[in-house]
Amino acid sequence: MSGDDPALRRPVLVGANPGLQLFDADGGCTGYASVWRVDWSRQHGAGTALVLWQPDTVRVLSSDLALARWLAEDFTRHFPELDGLPWPAPDYQREPVELAIDLAAGMHARAGDVEVQLSGVLDVRAVATEEFPLGSVPHSLRLVLAPCRTGRLSIGGQPVPGQVHRSGTPARPSSSAFLAEAEVWSRVPER
């Protein structure tokens, strides 16, 4: 077996990572929020963080800035939702993240002046891939995915403009507003 064989990968993070991506009428991304609840991680323990991307800024909010930096730089910035979008130097802010996730109903998260709400769960299904590259580092990912009908992102009480994009089929809906629970990220252990 080779060094990057998925069978050799070990968990590095267990938790949840709901997300919301909003689009304007021309299909441009107006905002993206990646909300993290880390139940366990090999390097940084447990905690919560909220990564907020907007066309001209990235804000990362958490009580644990070392954990937040790891989540933003090693994970979120490499997600397909942000592929091809600019990644300005993040502004790290020490703010506690309040987070409630319900696979039957949705999610509510708040950190500082940022609030994210997801509702109208369309489906709940298991997802697994052995090929989820984060930068040049291959990862395996297993999770429970719940696409949602609606999502709202606000800053200082003002909604970020844009709409949720839904696609897929009635039997297998997809949405840019989604819950991701029971996430297990694995990779080859560093030597």
Side-chain angles (χ1 to χ4, degrees):
M1 296 191 317
S2 72
D4 62 347
D5 186 311
L8 296 177
R9 296 178 185 164
R10 298 290 179 252
V12 293
L13 186 155
V14 176
N17 181 218
L20 171 62
Q21 187 171 25
L22 299 174
F23 298 92
D24 63 23
D26 296 325
C29 181
T30 59
Y32 175 69
S34 179
V35 183
W36 289 91
R37 186 196 73 229
V38 178
D39 301 323
W40 172 89
S41 72
R42 190 170 300 280
Q43 286 183 282
H44 297 283
T48 54
L50 192 154
V51 181
L52 172 66
W53 179 94
Q54 292 181 281
D56 58 351
T57 187
V58 174
R59 290 174 61 196
V60 184
L61 302 99
S62 177
S63 296
D64 183 339
L65 295 184
L67 173 68
R69 186 175 311 279
W70 180 60
L71 294 170
E73 297 294 333
D74 287 17
F75 291 88
T76 305
R77 78 173 298 176
H78 302 291
F79 285 174
E81 292 88 348
L82 298 174
D83 191 33
L85 298 175
W87 182 264
D91 177 16
Y92 291 92
Q93 302 170 3
R94 191 175 303 279
E95 293 283 353
V97 178
E98 300 170 18
L99 175 59
I101 302 171
D102 181 339
L103 282 172
M107 182 210 71
H108 180 257
R110 179 188 299 271
D113 64 344
V114 180
E115 187 172 11
V116 186
Q117 294 175 301
L118 306 177
S119 60
V121 173
L122 300 168
D123 187 27
V124 177
R125 61 183 180 263
V127 176
T129 180
E130 300 298 346
E131 299 300 325
F132 199 114
L134 295 173
S136 61
V137 181
H139 284 71
S140 301
L141 174 62
R142 286 165 173 56
L143 62 109
V144 174
L145 178 68
C148 295
R149 183 176 313 284
T150 62
R152 182 175 186 268
L153 171 60
S154 61
I155 302 170
Q158 298 299 310
V160 172
Q163 301 297 317
V164 169
H165 179 256
R166 291 191 311 271
S167 60
T169 66
R172 195 168 174 83
S174 182
S175 176
S176 66
F178 58 90
L179 304 175
E181 253 294 5
E183 273 196 3
V184 178
W185 289 90
S186 300
R187 71 173 177 233
V188 174
E190 295 177 6
R191 295 178 192 246

